[in-house]
Structures are given as structure tokens and as C-alpha cells.
């Protein structure tokens, strides 16, 4: 087993996750089987109880693991299925060590950070690295490990020590350290400054780790004299210094690494002399070029609670991007804070209320993502009503489906007080209720999580056609509340179809309005399984409906498999486009967008 460790220095947010994912793509293209591990030094056992404002979205895996969003990057780039153990946290490590101590596994010894915590980290890495994640038998060839945070952070010290020991444990030729650092350009002098990277590497070396390769983030390609200076002071060969400069979309990063022969440097350190072929990245090249040439915009309103940080909806944004590229449209995200649509805002701040409505009305499609808590819920219900009454394509995910059901009960059934027991426990017309198996006392890991099966009960619906008329599908879930089964017959008589249910037939998974151009809500999270070359079926349907291509798509979808749509629409004439972030444009709230 070979290991590639990716660390970061100077500042956070340099794109270690994207770099680690791109390195994996590059090694895959060389014919190697790759797996990934993300180390998060926080004390939380997992990301499940963390606010999206704290750490971005919570990514959900097939096995129900609630993990860091970077594992979503790995799955999308490498097209693999990871497990909860691929995300290591301080909380997990300490809990495992303390559990052993309580059982007496340490035979009365004093349990210490070294060797017990550091050994537990190394053992965890070795165990998880051997698990196949690509559907094939046998262990992978290479494990790419990303160490979260920045070199020098106090909480990551046990991991730094463990990884230093681990490099000797696996031996020379089996461990490659890539350090991602910043080479800023000061506007005053316009010169690339190497001192931050020098200090970062010095700090890394003082902790017992020596970088084999430097990946330098900068606005432009590094000058030759800058590379020479970095090589001299950081003790890294000049050919092992690559530039990760700003590009038009994130799919260029693996190509950037390939063009600078990063794979040759990595393979040389990992003692893979037999691999001499150039990485095959034809599909990545084509996809990156297509994304660059898109000119015709498609505006999708994202009506959510966490619109102040786009990382809160990272997988949703990526699923929209995958679908828009397949439909040959340039994605424009229109951010709408759900609470700004509410009547209370109209009274307190009329200008903000008016601006939110102008944004919503400017969009060609509406998406209401998942969320927790009552803030902004009425705004999401209003957005669902607007989309339903005005024939605007709508996709509701998790809470977005539940708010669509509540809105329908209020507006069509006339149940003006209809609500969810999450927001009104004493409601007389509860459309959404707490799941019986859920826990109201323990928050972490107690939801309905992971891959669950949904059976189609209506075969001629848009959703079933988008999934290729399959009898059932498997999608990932993360929720505590569900549609009240006692109200289903009443809602169906009023025209709302529950076309997808679980194996028991009592848990509602998919709703659809047959009379609407595209009005679909799902209890699961289809965004977690969307891939660049295989867009999620329902996101593809939303973009196609918003761009007038749904009929053509449904005809092509018959007989195909779910999540298997690639370049389904005609390309149109290619043109270059102006400024944008990784192929996603927005109405001014584009912070933090990456792979």
C-alpha cells in the first residue's frame, strides 16, 4: 500500500480537498486504484451536529456516515463510495482509545497521547486504506490522506506526530508528502512572495515531516526565479514544485497537475518506475472545455436558510452544475434567503423583502434544499406556493418536500393551520410528523441516515421516467421528520401524487404534481450521488424543465439507468464567457464555491 499525505500551510481554505481529489484523479488515470481519507482534528465524533455556518454542509455516505464535505469532493472526483471510517476525527480516535482503556485492553498501563493515541491513528489509517471503495475486490493501490486545518494548529499535533511515525512505519518509497501552501502576490509591488511558504515548510520540518512536493496556490503561474528560490530554501527539487493557479472551473485542476508532470514526481517518490504512460484524462478535458464555452444562462433560485455561506449547500450546487453542463447551460444561482420572503420582513424591512421577491421572480427554476429549525420555513412554503401557482419548475429536497406538502394542504385542502410537528408540536393538522424510531434526547447519529430504497408506485410520472422507469432506486437520507401517512389519502384525492414510497408503503419518499410542468419533492438527498459525468436524475430534470428541454430528456431517459446521463442535450455554438467561479455564477453570494 502506498500513501500520499496532503497538508496545508499559511492559511486555511487553500483548496487541500480539491488538490487531494485531483491527485486521486491523476493517479487513477495512471491505472492505479485509489481511496481517500480525511482527517479532521476537531473533537466532534462526526460532522452531524455541526452547524453549516461552522463547517459547511454535512455530507452523507451510503452507510449513514455524516462526514466532512471534502469526502463529497473525493466521491465526485473519483466516483467511489466511501465509508464513515474514511473520515477520522479527534473525537473518534479518543473515544476508541478510551473504550479500550475501560475494557482493560491496555493492561493497567498509563494511557498517553504517545504511543496510544498516535498508534490508534496509524492503525486506523492502515485498516481503512485497505477497504476497496471502487466496487472491485482487493485493496486499493494508493490512499490519499488529507490532513485538515493548517500546520501549526494545536489540535492537529497528535496527528502530525502520528503521521511522522507512520512515514517511517511504512518505509521509504511508500509515503509521499504534498504540502499545499500560499504564494501571495502583493498588489503594491506585484511580486510573488515566497516567505510565507518558506516559514510553513520550516514549521512542517520542525514537526518531523519533510515535504516531497510543493503545491503552491497563487493567482498566476509561478515565475521561474520563484520556483528556484522555493527549491533552495525549502529543500524540494524544482521539478517537484507545481503551481495551482486560478482557473476558470475546478475541472481544470487535474489537467493543471498533469501538464506540470505532478504524476511523474508522485510516482517517483512512491517507487512506481513501471508506470510510464501519460494519464488518460480525455473526459476531464472535454468536460472542462465544455464548461468554459457555455454562454446561455439558466437561473435557479436557491431558497434556503444558510444562504450566507454557499458551502452549506455545496453538494446541491455541484449537482446543479453537473446537470446544467449536461444540458449545455451556464448555471446562475440566484440566492434567496427564505426569511426575506415572509410577511414579517415586508413590515420590518420592505426593501429587503422586495429584493428577495424580485430575485425569486427572475429565476427559471426554484430549488428548496434541506434544513433544520423553524427559521425561514414560512418563506420556503411561500416559495413552493409561488412555483406551484405560476408553473415554475420546482425541486424540493427533504425539508423542501415537506414544505411543499404543507403548502398544498393549506392552499388546496384549505387546512390553514397545517404544519409540521417540528415547528408546532400541538398542531391539529400535522402534515409532517416525528419518525417513531427517532430520538428526541440524543442528536448525533439518530436520524434516518444513509442509503435507503424507494419503490415507485406510479410508473408514468416524470420522476420515474427520469430514473429510467426502474422499479426502485437507492438514495441517501438524512431526516427526523416525515410526511404523516394518515394524511396521504386526503392529499392524493386533492391531486398531489405520492409516487415513491419505502418498502413498507407508509413512508413517503417522492411527491409530484402531474398537472405541473415540473413540481417534484423528495425526502432523500439526490445531490449526494451526483457525479460530473453522471448528473442526478432529478437535478437534470429541473434544469431541463427550466430550459425547455424536459420533453426531449424524458424521451431519451426511457430505458436508461438512474444517475447515468451524460451530455444529453445538443451543445450549441461554443463561445467564451466572462468572470465566474468554477462554472457557477451567482447574484453576489458566491463565497466558498469549490469542487
Amino acid at each position: 500500500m502506498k500513501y500520499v499525505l496532503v497538508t496545508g500551510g499559511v492559511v486555511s481554505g487553500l483548496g487541500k480537498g480539491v488538490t487531494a481529489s485531483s491527485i486521486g484523479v491523476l493517479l487513477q488515470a495512471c491505472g492505479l486504484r485509489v481511496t481517500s481519507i480525511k482527517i479532521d482534528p476537531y473533537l466532534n465524533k462526526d460532522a452531524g451536529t455541526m452547524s453549516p455556518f461552522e463547517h459547511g454542509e454535512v455530507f452523507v455516505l451510503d452507510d449513514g456516515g455524516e462526514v466532512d464535505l471534502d469526502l463529497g469532493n473525493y466521491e465526485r472526483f473519483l466516483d467511489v463510495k466511501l465509508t464513515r471510517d474514511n473520515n477520522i476525527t479527534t473525537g473518534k480516535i479518543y473515544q476508541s482509545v478510551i473504550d479500550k482503556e475501560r475494557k482493560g485492553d491496555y493492561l493497567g498501563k498509563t494511557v498517553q497521547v504517545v504511543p496510544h493515541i498516535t498508534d490508534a491513528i496509524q492503525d486506523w489509517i492502515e485498516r481503512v486504506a485497505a477497504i476497496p471503495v471502487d466496487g472491485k475486490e482487493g485493496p486499493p493501490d494508493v490512499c490519499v490522506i488529507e490532513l485538515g486545518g493548517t500546520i501549526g494548529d494545536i489540535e492537529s499535533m497528535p496527528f502530525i506526530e502520528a503521521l511522522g511515525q507512520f512515514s517511517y512505519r511504512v518505509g521509504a518509497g511508500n509515503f509521499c508528502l504534498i504540502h499545499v501552501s500560499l504564494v501571495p502576490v502583493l498588489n503594491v509591488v506585484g511580486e510573488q512572495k515566497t516567505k510565507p511558504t518558506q516559514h510553513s515548510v520550516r514549521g512542517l520540518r520542525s514537526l518531523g515531516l519533510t515535504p516531497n512536493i510543493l503545491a503552491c496556490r497563487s493567482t498566476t503561474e509561478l515565475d521561474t526565479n520563484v520556483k528556484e528560490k522555493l527549491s533552495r530554501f525549502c529543500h524540494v527539487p524544482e521539478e517537484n514544485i507545481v503551481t495551482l493557479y486560478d482557473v476558470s472551473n475546478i475541472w481544470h485542476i487535474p489537467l493543471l497537475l498533469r501538464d506540470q508532470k505532478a504524476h511523474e514526481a508522485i510516482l517517483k517518490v512512491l517507487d512506481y518506475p513501471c508506470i510510464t504512460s501519460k494519464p488518460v484524462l480525455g473526459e476531464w478535458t472535454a468536460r472542462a472545455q465544455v464548461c468554459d464555452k457555455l454562454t446561455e444562462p439558466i437561473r435557479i433560485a436557491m431558497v434556503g436558510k444558510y444562504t450566507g455561506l454557499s458551502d452549506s449547500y455545496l453538494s446541491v450546487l455541484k449537482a446543479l452544475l453537473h446537470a446544467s453542463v449536461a444540458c449545455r447551460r451556464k448555471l446562475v444561482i440566484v440566492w434567496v434567503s427564505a426569511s426575506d420572503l415572509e410577511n414579517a420582513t415586508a413590515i420590518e424591512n420592505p426593501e429587503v423583502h422586495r429584493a428577495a421577491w424580485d430575485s425569486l421572480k427572475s429565476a427559471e427554476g426554484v430549488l428548496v434544499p434541506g434544513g433544520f429549525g423553524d427559521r425561514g420555513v414560512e418563506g420556503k412554503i411561500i416559495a413552493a406556493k409561488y412555483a406551484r401557482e405560476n408553473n415554475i419548475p420546482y425541486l424540493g429536497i427533504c425539508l423542501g418536500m415537506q414544505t411543499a406538502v404543507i403548502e398544498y394542504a393549506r392552499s388546496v385542502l384549505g387546512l390553514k393551520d397545517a404544519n409540521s410537528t417540528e415547528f408546532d408540536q400541538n398542531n391539529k393538522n400535522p402534515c409532517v410528523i416525528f419518525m417513531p424510531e427517532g430520538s428526541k434526547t440524543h442528536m448525533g447519529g439518530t436520524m434516518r441516515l444513509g442509503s435507503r430504497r424507494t419503490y415507485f408506485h406510479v410508473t408514468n410520472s416524470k420522476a420515474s421516467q427520469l430514473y429510467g422507469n426502474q422499479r426502485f432506486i437507492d438514495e441517501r437520507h438524512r431526516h427526523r421528520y416525515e410526511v404523516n401517512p394518515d394524511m396521504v389519502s386526503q392529499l392524493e384525492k386533492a391531486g398531489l401524487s405520492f409516487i415513491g414510497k419505502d418498502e413498507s408503503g407508509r413512508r413517503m419518499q417522492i411527491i409530484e404534481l402531474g398537472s405541473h410542468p415540473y413540481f417534484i419533492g423528495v425526502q432523500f438527498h439526490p445531490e449526494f450521488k451526483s457525479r460530473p459525468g453522471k448528473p442526478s436524475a432529478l437535478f437534470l430534470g429541473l434544469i431541463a424543465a427550466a430550459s425547455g428541454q424536459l420533453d426531449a430528456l424524458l424521451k431519451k431517459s426511457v430505458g436508461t439507468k438512474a444517475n447515468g446521463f451524460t451530455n444529453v442535450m445538443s451543445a450549441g455554438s461554443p463561445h467564451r464567457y466572462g468572470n465566474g467561479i468554477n462554472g457557477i455564477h451567482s447574484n453576489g453570494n458566491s463565497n466558498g464555491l469549490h469542487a
Side-chain angles (χ1 to χ4, degrees):
M1 174 65 72
K2 310 283 186 177
Y3 300 89
V4 176
L5 173 63
V6 179
T7 61
V10 184
V11 294
S12 60
L14 287 178
K16 295 191 303 297
V18 177
T19 304
S21 302
S22 299
I23 289 166
V25 169
L26 207 58
L27 295 175
Q28 272 188 342
C30 290
L32 297 171
R33 294 174 61 199
V34 179
T35 186
S36 296
I37 291 175
K38 172 68 187 295
I39 297 175
D40 284 302
Y42 48 68
L43 278 169
N44 304 63
K45 184 176 179 181
D46 58 37
T49 58
M50 298 171 71
S51 165
F53 282 130
E54 286 279 328
H55 211 67
E57 77 168 3
V58 176
F59 191 81
V60 179
L61 303 171
D62 267 4
D63 66 358
E66 298 173 284
V67 296
D68 183 80
L69 58 80
D70 275 319
L71 274 79
N73 291 332
Y74 307 155
E75 285 206 344
R76 283 187 289 270
F77 268 62
L78 303 175
D79 195 16
V80 295
K81 290 183 179 180
L82 301 174
T83 70
R84 67 180 74 219
D85 286 346
N86 288 83
N87 191 191
I88 303 175
T89 68
T90 299
K92 287 181 179 179
I93 294 295
Y94 273 77
Q95 186 176 58
S96 68
V97 170
I98 290 170
D99 287 346
K100 285 185 176 181
E101 186 274 331
R102 291 289 84 189
K103 289 190 292 184
D105 289 358
Y106 296 115
L107 301 177
K109 293 181 179 178
T110 302
V111 180
Q112 297 174 295
V113 173
V114 181
H116 300 101
I117 295 296
T118 51
D119 283 352
I121 293 168
Q122 296 175 70
D123 293 343
W124 192 303
I125 291 172
E126 275 196 333
R127 173 176 60 83
V128 175
I131 299 173
V133 295
D134 55 3
K136 300 176 183 178
E137 293 184 359
D141 301 308
V142 180
C143 177
V144 179
I145 306 166
E146 178 192 348
L147 176 62
T150 306
I151 293 301
D153 293 345
I154 190 169
E155 60 264 27
S156 63
M157 289 303 177
F159 292 101
I160 295 287
E161 174 62 29
L163 291 164
Q165 295 178 18
F166 191 68
S167 65
Y168 288 98
R169 177 169 166 171
V170 299
N174 294 315
F175 190 88
C176 175
L177 198 164
I178 300 175
H179 188 58
V180 182
S181 187
L182 178 67
V183 178
V185 178
L186 300 182
N187 291 332
V188 178
V189 293
E191 180 186 1
Q192 294 174 330
K193 310 300 288 186
T194 64
K195 194 64 72 176
T197 296
Q198 291 181 45
H199 282 292
S200 181
V201 171
R202 187 178 304 156
L204 187 63
R205 292 165 66 91
S206 71
L207 295 170
L209 289 170
T210 301
N212 303 107
I213 298 170
L214 285 181
C216 299
R217 283 286 289 115
S218 189
T219 53
T220 57
E221 192 171 358
L222 290 187
D223 299 332
T224 302
N225 65 309
V226 173
K227 278 192 174 184
E228 292 174 352
K229 193 173 182 180
L230 285 171
S231 177
R232 186 182 308 115
F233 286 100
C234 297
H235 304 169
V236 175
E238 196 173 329
E239 62 270 19
N240 285 16
I241 300 175
V242 297
T243 315
L244 299 175
Y245 55 84
D246 294 347
V247 289
S248 55
N249 73 72
I250 209 67
W251 295 328
H252 282 290
I253 300 299
L255 311 179
L256 203 61
L257 291 170
R258 179 202 60 190
D259 294 343
Q260 296 177 75
K261 298 182 179 180
H263 58 288
E264 293 183 6
I266 296 169
L267 294 174
K268 184 177 180 181
V269 174
L270 294 180
D271 196 20
Y272 268 127
C274 56
I275 301 178
T276 57
S277 58
K278 189 176 181 180
V280 180
L281 291 169
E283 188 178 331
W284 280 89
T285 304
R287 188 180 301 121
Q289 291 174 348
V290 166
C291 190
D292 281 347
K293 294 174 182 177
L294 299 176
T295 57
E296 190 171 347
I298 186 71
R299 296 173 63 84
I300 302 297
M302 182 85 79
V303 184
K305 178 180 178 180
Y306 312 109
T307 55
L309 180 66
S310 56
D311 271 6
S312 302
Y313 302 114
L314 186 59
S315 291
V316 175
L317 291 171
K318 292 306 166 185
L320 285 169
L321 178 61
H322 302 160
S324 63
V325 171
C327 291
R328 298 299 194 265
R329 292 293 185 272
K330 183 173 69 174
L331 178 63
V332 178
I333 297 295
V334 181
W335 293 98
V336 180
S337 178
S339 57
D340 290 347
L341 297 172
E342 298 172 1
N343 294 332
T345 305
I347 298 171
E348 297 169 4
N349 199 329
E351 290 186 6
V352 170
H353 181 261
R354 191 180 308 111
W357 270 103
D358 288 343
S359 296
L360 180 63
K361 291 179 180 179
S362 71
E364 294 144 307
V366 176
L367 192 150
V368 177
F372 298 92
D374 59 358
R375 183 171 64 84
V377 167
E378 290 300 323
K380 294 182 178 184
I381 292 172
I382 290 169
K385 182 176 182 179
Y386 166 77
R388 182 181 60 81
E389 292 182 343
N390 292 277
N391 287 332
I392 305 297
Y394 175 91
L395 177 60
I397 298 172
C398 198
L399 180 58
M401 167 183 155
Q402 295 172 6
T403 52
V405 172
I406 293 169
E407 187 280 321
Y408 202 83
R410 290 181 182 180
S411 301
V412 180
L413 291 181
L415 303 175
K416 300 301 182 184
D417 64 340
N419 212 330
S420 167
T421 57
E422 181 179 3
F423 317 123
D424 182 2
Q425 293 185 6
N426 301 315
N427 187 259
K428 294 180 181 179
N429 291 293
C431 296
V432 180
I433 59 174
F434 192 79
M435 293 188 302
E437 68 268 35
S439 171
K440 292 186 177 182
T441 57
H442 288 72
M443 303 297 286
T446 58
M447 289 185 277
R448 188 167 185 252
L449 293 164
S451 182
R452 308 283 179 144
R453 184 153 290 181
T454 296
Y455 291 87
F456 285 104
H457 287 248
V458 179
T459 56
N460 61 346
S461 64
K462 295 182 182 70
S464 62
Q465 290 180 65
L466 287 168
Y467 276 105
N469 288 323
Q470 298 184 91
R471 192 170 64 89
F472 59 82
I473 55 171
D474 295 311
E475 293 281 10
R476 298 175 184 178
H477 293 66
R478 184 176 185 251
H479 62 104
R480 283 192 178 88
Y481 291 81
E482 62 181 348
V483 173
N484 185 353
D486 294 336
M487 290 196 68
V488 169
S489 60
Q490 193 176 356
L491 289 162
E492 285 190 321
K493 288 177 183 177
L496 185 64
S497 298
F498 292 86
I499 65 168
K501 303 177 183 179
D502 75 340
E503 61 278 0
S504 71
R506 286 185 56 80
R507 187 157 276 160
M508 304 303 118
Q509 304 280 58
I510 307 174
I511 65 166
E512 185 174 315
L513 271 180
S515 59
H516 193 282
Y518 191 86
F519 193 95
I520 293 176
V522 291
Q523 188 60 73
F524 48 79
H525 289 264
E527 68 270 22
F528 292 143
K529 294 179 73 172
S530 183
R531 303 288 181 263
K534 296 179 286 187
S536 165
L538 298 178
F539 281 86
L540 193 61
L542 176 67
I543 297 296
S547 58
Q549 305 178 68
L550 183 59
D551 288 341
L553 175 62
L554 292 177
K555 290 179 182 177
K556 291 187 178 184
S557 297
V558 176
T560 63
K561 292 184 178 180
N563 299 333
F565 306 98
T566 307
N567 300 334
V568 295
M569 301 302 168
S570 58
S573 57
H575 297 282
R576 298 194 64 83
Y577 67 87
N579 295 329
I581 297 183
N582 303 323
I584 301 178
H585 298 246
S586 77
N587 59 340
N589 202 354
S590 53
N591 54 311
L593 290 176
H594 51 204

